Amino acid sequence: MVGASVRTERAVETREAIMSAAERLFAEHGLAAVSSRQISEAAGQGNNAAVGYHFGSKAGLIEAMTSRGAGPVEQIRERLLAEIDGSDDIRDWVGCLVRPVTEYLDSLGTPSWHARFAAQVMTDPVLRAAVSEAAIDRPPLRRTLHELGRRLPGLPRLVRHERGEMARLLIVHTCAERERALAEGTGALQPSWRHTAMSLTDAITGLLLAPVTPRPHTPTKENPS
């Protein structure tokens, strides 16, 4: 039993080492440019097939890495949901989208690679769809989006969806750019992750509440009139 426990612990440590090495390499070079062999070597694994052994494939590794970061983010979101329960202030609900991400990134210290890794995932069409679907299944995020939508009754459904996509891009890429600037020492636009969260909340609130320009009717083949 002791031997099995030790092996399990070592396997967990190996998986963590692989994910940490992969996160850095993906953030710095991109998903397509990094091989499983390079990840295994960077993680200090003598077996070049370590990624396949522990995660099945490179895609399985990326899925595990995404889930690893999602857990702490959703725990923060649950705390914030409890704090703003019953609020009708749209900024509170937008903050529940933004602050879990920035607080988690702040907890990682400098340098970190998670935000840049997340941005790489969101530019891959296949991975983006899988990650987005998994995110919506998480109860804290699902409740946040539902409650925010309830407070935007005047926003047409398609416009709401479009602006939601814009908001996600703002969060992902603004955080990735700040993380890059901190890691490279080139000067971040905001003095802290807390200030970054406030700026993002301001911008996304303004985006959601902006007026909607009436769209001209566009005929379709099914409905030419």
Side-chain angles (χ1 to χ4, degrees):
M1 293 295 292
V2 175
S5 176
V6 170
R7 285 194 298 272
T8 299
E9 184 176 340
R10 287 177 178 171
V12 171
E13 291 174 354
T14 299
R15 284 174 60 88
E16 286 294 319
I18 291 172
M19 286 191 284
S20 294
E23 189 171 74
R24 175 177 59 81
L25 291 173
F26 287 148
E28 294 177 345
H29 305 291
L31 301 179
V34 179
S35 68
S36 295
R37 181 189 181 98
Q38 290 172 310
I39 295 168
S40 296
E41 291 176 351
Q45 301 302 305
N47 180 4
N48 290 327
V51 169
Y53 178 80
H54 288 279
F55 298 95
S57 64
K58 185 176 170 182
L61 167 62
I62 293 172
E63 182 180 348
M65 293 166 64
T66 302
S67 296
R68 180 179 70 161
V73 168
E74 294 307 312
Q75 287 179 356
I76 296 170
R77 202 183 317 275
E78 284 187 308
R79 189 197 80 224
L80 296 177
L81 285 170
E83 291 176 2
I84 68 167
D85 187 39
S87 173
D88 285 323
D89 188 342
I90 289 177
R91 282 184 58 87
D92 286 341
W93 296 100
V94 172
C96 265
L97 291 178
V98 174
R99 287 177 54 194
V101 178
T102 56
E103 287 189 23
Y104 173 62
L105 292 172
D106 193 16
S107 74
L108 298 178
T110 302
S112 63
W113 296 273
H114 182 76
R116 286 171 286 169
F117 160 68
Q120 292 285 342
V121 171
M122 293 307 291
T123 59
D124 183 286
V126 176
L127 292 172
R128 177 181 179 276
V131 168
S132 298
E133 185 176 343
I136 294 298
D137 283 339
R138 297 184 183 109
L141 179 58
R142 189 165 63 243
R143 183 189 167 199
T144 300
L145 293 172
H146 173 72
E147 294 293 343
L148 180 58
R150 285 182 56 213
R151 287 157 179 81
L152 297 167
L155 205 60
R157 182 179 61 85
L158 290 179
V159 174
R160 186 187 307 169
H161 176 75
E162 181 182 45
R163 293 186 181 182
E165 289 295 307
M166 293 177 184
R168 177 162 55 178
L169 289 172
L170 274 174
I171 295 170
V172 169
H173 291 287
T174 298
C175 288
E177 176 57 23
R178 173 176 171 76
E179 184 183 70
R180 181 202 60 76
L182 290 173
E184 297 177 0
T186 55
L189 292 177
Q190 295 292 341
S192 68
W193 282 108
R194 184 172 67 85
H195 285 83
T196 301
M198 288 190 290
S199 292
L200 279 169
T201 300
D202 288 342
I204 294 170
T205 300
L207 171 65
L208 294 175
L209 296 178
V212 179
T213 302
R215 270 55 166 179
H217 175 66
T218 302
T220 64
K221 291 181 180 180
E222 293 78 10
N223 183 19
S225 61

